[in-house]
Amino acid sequence: MKKSMNEIEMLQYRLKRYQAMRNGAMCQMINGKIQKLLSRQTAA
């Protein structure tokens, strides 16, 4: 649980960085990863 929270926080940081660089493709990919981790957390 703690590991996945750290991973989500890291991905959210990367998402903000890619948004600042206006890189939409990477933003979509990272958003997908975040959603998968969040859904896995709620299912567990």
Side-chain angles (χ1 to χ4, degrees), residues 12-43:
Q12 287 173 336
Y13 170 78
R14 287 174 57 194
L15 178 66
K16 288 177 189 168
R17 299 298 299 148
Y18 282 118
Q19 284 175 337
M21 290 188 289
R22 316 280 283 159
N23 190 337
M26 287 300 289
C27 288
Q28 287 180 352
M29 186 182 80
I30 292 174
N31 262 328
K33 286 182 180 182
I34 291 172
Q35 292 305 315
K36 280 183 191 174
L37 287 172
L38 288 174
S39 65
R40 214 180 291 156
Q41 262 188 352
T42 57

